[in-house]
Amino acid sequence: MKTTNHGTPDEFTLLELARRFPDEATALAYFETLRWPDGVQCVHCGNADASRLGKRTHNAEAKVRAGLWECGACGKQFRSTIGTIFEDSHIPMNKWLIAWYLICGAKKGISAMQLKRHLWGDKGSYKSAWFMAHRIRHAMADPAFIAKLSGTVEIDETYVGGKTRIEYKDGRMTKAMDNKTPVVSLVERDGTKRSMVMERVNSANLRAAIVEHTAEDARTMTDDSRLYSRLNEVREHHPVNHSKKQYALRKNGVLISTNTVESSFALIKRSIVGAFHHVSKKHLGRYLVEADFKWNHRKISDGERMVKGLRKTGGKRLTYKPLTRK
Ligand SMILES: [Zn+2]
């Protein structure tokens, strides 16, 4: 009979997470193994000699915080949170791990209000939960210089946020889209996805984004919108004729469709309607990062996804002021 199976990170459940990391010290010890897989390293001088690194014993009365290290080489102190999204946070790491798990596990997103209730109950601070969620999204982002998308890449644009208003103009009913933000996604079939906010959706901007994010020999697929009519000048291009109710066709054994990118949009829209309600243009980019991260890691468990995210927290900072500046 197994009596001590507390799960490896990829098998984490919420219960295991709470049981294995009941306090800040245990949670930080775990985070240290992710931040420094080859052993603890001083963030000030780079010293990685274990014999010259000592962990201070957590002592609240003497104001020694959990996870505090002292470097024998430079004499300075540090914690594993320095230079990560957790730096300066007063929220203990065990709560951060729970927040990561909840966000990584919520297919359609989780609202800051819900996160607050899970972590602190009704008395918690909405502001803290909201800021936590945005720092987590910030960490999920990929660096700007990652590899270009290749193979078959489906591209489409959509409008998210706000509500579609019906306006009467010159006696005619029109759909007002001004409070919605255009989003463009590029999705490798069976691969990764990249989404972006595009201030103005036009042929030139779409073309620039496609050239920037796809390999030269990528095979692009889009709907038959005029926006893509000259895409074949820069990339192999296969439009699907949506206006003729054609959604997928096979040409020389290749499936021409934009079904993958469209189903990824459906997921974004459901999370924005369901969990995030109103998402301002200013923060939309970060919600897209979260949606892309989940899509790109959709075939693994919630725990594995959490670990993937935690490994990306280094070198990322997001402070409250610029986040809330109008
Ligand atoms: Zn040092």
Side-chain angles (χ1 to χ4, degrees):
M1 193 177 87
K2 274 188 191 170
T3 52
T4 54
N5 183 8
H6 286 275
T8 54
D10 48 339
E11 293 164 344
F12 273 144
T13 60
L14 195 53
L15 189 66
E16 290 297 343
L17 205 61
R19 193 155 37 192
R20 253 181 84 173
F21 310 120
D23 51 32
E24 181 165 39
T26 49
L28 277 172
Y30 172 62
F31 180 64
E32 285 165 8
T33 67
L34 299 177
R35 174 110 201 250
W36 299 303
D38 303 319
V40 180
Q41 190 174 13
C42 173
V43 302
H44 305 292
C45 72
N47 169 35
D49 178 356
S51 69
R52 302 184 77 192
L53 288 161
K55 197 172 204 173
R56 300 278 310 270
T57 310
H58 176 215
N59 184 337
E61 276 171 35
K63 294 199 170 149
V64 179
R65 289 189 77 180
L68 190 67
W69 288 84
E70 213 159 52
C71 174
C74 71
K76 290 183 183 157
Q77 297 184 327
F78 61 92
R79 296 169 92 228
S80 55
T81 53
I82 289 184
T84 72
I85 57 152
F86 309 116
E87 187 173 341
D88 298 332
S89 171
H90 296 288
I91 297 159
M93 186 56 95
N94 51 326
K95 292 217 173 189
W96 271 108
L97 293 184
I98 301 275
W100 265 100
Y101 189 88
L102 291 171
I103 288 178
C104 286
K107 298 274 175 304
K108 294 178 212 160
I110 181 169
S111 69
M113 189 57 86
Q114 187 66 53
L115 190 62
K116 180 202 90 165
R117 281 198 224 103
H118 279 307
L119 295 173
W120 295 285
D122 283 333
K123 288 193 187 111
S125 147
Y126 173 79
K127 199 176 101 174
S128 296
W130 181 87
F131 185 28
M132 265 179 122
H134 275 298
R135 273 182 285 180
I136 287 172
R137 290 181 193 114
H138 181 64
M140 288 171 170
D142 285 318
F145 46 81
I146 48 169
K148 293 184 180 228
L149 303 176
S150 59
T152 298
V153 181
E154 298 181 17
I155 302 142
D156 201 4
E157 75 288 341
T158 190
Y159 295 82
V160 287
K163 279 205 173 83
T164 309
R165 282 183 295 110
I166 303 295
E167 260 181 2
Y168 288 94
K169 234 180 200 170
D170 308 324
R172 285 209 328 211
M173 208 169 74
T174 54
K175 268 188 184 176
M177 304 280 271
D178 52 295
N179 55 353
K180 289 186 175 280
T181 310
V183 168
V184 175
S185 283
L186 298 90
V187 188
E188 273 174 343
R189 199 169 289 162
D190 303 315
T192 51
K193 172 181 158 228
R194 222 167 279 176
S195 307
M196 61 211 73
V197 172
M198 191 170 277
E199 283 298 328
R200 266 177 61 84
V201 174
N202 56 34
S203 309
N205 289 345
L206 281 167
R207 184 181 167 125
I210 293 165
V211 167
E212 187 188 339
H213 293 283
T214 63
E216 257 175 71
D217 59 353
R219 178 191 281 150
T220 63
M221 299 190 184
T222 66
D223 59 29
D224 57 340
S225 155
R226 258 190 244 155
L227 291 165
Y228 303 104
S229 60
R230 289 172 64 197
L231 186 56
N232 62 359
E233 291 169 10
V234 287
R235 290 291 181 271
E236 182 182 334
H237 180 222
H238 302 269
V240 189
N241 205 336
H242 283 180
S243 42
K244 284 189 182 160
K245 298 237 185 301
Q246 179 188 81
Y247 292 96
L249 72 150
R250 237 168 231 292
K251 220 158 65 185
N252 304 327
V254 178
L255 178 71
I256 316 287
S257 97
T258 53
N259 292 344
T260 319
V261 68
E262 280 166 40
S263 53
S264 89
F265 279 153
L267 215 58
I268 291 179
K269 288 187 175 175
R270 245 178 294 155
S271 66
I272 286 175
V273 172
F276 306 128
H277 308 295
H278 179 74
V279 170
S280 72
K281 201 180 232 174
K282 184 175 172 177
H283 301 301
L284 182 60
R286 248 171 272 109
Y287 288 96
L288 296 179
V289 164
E290 177 186 344
D292 285 358
F293 175 82
K294 286 182 187 168
W295 179 273
N296 295 339
H297 300 292
R298 66 194 180 282
K299 288 173 183 159
I300 56 178
S301 71
D302 296 346
E304 284 173 304
R305 207 174 297 116
M306 175 189 77
V307 173
K308 290 250 185 231
L310 285 168
R311 286 189 199 278
K312 299 179 83 173
T313 52
K316 306 242 177 79
R317 296 292 311 280
L318 185 69
T319 50
Y320 193 70
K321 265 199 183 147
L323 194 60
T324 49
R325 198 177 289 141
K326 292 271 182 239

